[in-house]
Amino acid sequence: RGRGQARQAASPPLDLPVVSSVIYMYGTYMYETGNLAEIDLSTATHKPHASPLSATDWHVLMALVEEDLHGYAIMKAVERDSRGAVSAEIGSLYRILSRLMTDALVDEVAPPADAPTETRGRPRRYYRVTEEGRAALRQEVLRLGDALELARDRRLVPEPSK
């Protein structure tokens, strides 16, 4: 290397857990549960999502797609659905929920009629994904689909079995 030549940065190694997470999230939600299955990635046209959802935001919103939940139930659903890869401690979860409410992706709602309204003397707060939250999830599915397609094109992941 001569004087004045910049040292070229080495490419970072491929983060296989991230690739696995993308495949898991995409495959699980699109094929196993049928959630958001109306999206046809082969013909969909979309603008890239301005700010992709974090893994925690994704899992929190996905936990709320099927039913309204309280914080502890959301925390457990995130851990279960991510197979332990994403963990939201209860304190940080409430900060995340607050931000998602500010972004209009989640609303606080009244507890279901048959649900306890208190836990250890404190009110139990329930949350619901909004239509904007569902739209953000759909956009993220499209983004992840594009990422998965690129990974397949680069032979980082196998093609699906037919």
Side-chain angles (χ1 to χ4, degrees):
R1 185 170 66 180
R3 261 184 86 131
Q5 284 184 314
R7 182 175 154 210
Q8 189 170 10
S11 297
L14 178 65
D15 190 344
L16 290 179
V18 170
V19 172
S20 296
S21 258
V22 168
I23 294 166
Y24 165 72
M25 288 186 296
Y26 181 79
T28 298
Y29 292 114
M30 291 301 290
Y31 298 109
E32 291 176 11
T33 68
N35 287 338
L36 311 171
E38 71 276 6
I39 299 171
D40 179 359
L41 296 176
S42 64
T43 59
T45 57
H46 63 282
K47 296 177 187 174
H49 194 279
S51 67
L53 295 171
S54 71
T56 305
D57 290 357
W58 162 270
H59 281 287
V60 167
L61 292 172
M62 285 304 294
L64 296 170
V65 164
E66 294 179 331
E67 66 180 317
D68 301 344
L69 296 172
H70 57 84
Y72 184 76
I74 295 169
M75 182 181 78
K76 288 304 190 184
V78 166
E79 289 174 3
R80 179 194 67 233
D81 293 347
S82 71
R83 299 181 183 171
V86 177
S87 176
E89 296 303 321
I90 203 71
S92 61
L93 176 63
Y94 284 112
R95 285 189 297 278
I96 290 166
L97 286 166
S98 176
R99 181 176 41 75
L100 292 173
M101 285 190 296
T102 299
D103 293 344
L105 302 178
V106 169
D107 279 334
E108 187 174 342
V109 296
D114 59 342
T117 57
E118 289 187 359
T119 301
R120 290 185 233 140
R122 297 183 70 179
R124 186 176 264 188
R125 296 162 51 180
Y126 281 77
Y127 302 89
R128 173 181 298 157
V129 68
T130 63
E131 284 307 312
E132 291 88 351
R134 288 175 187 274
L137 281 169
R138 287 184 190 101
Q139 189 65 41
E140 190 68 3
V141 167
L142 293 171
R143 189 186 70 76
L144 291 171
D146 289 346
L148 182 58
E149 186 177 323
L150 178 61
R152 283 190 178 130
D153 289 348
R154 305 271 168 91
R155 295 185 181 92
L156 293 173
V157 295
E159 290 291 327
S161 317
K162 296 192 181 199

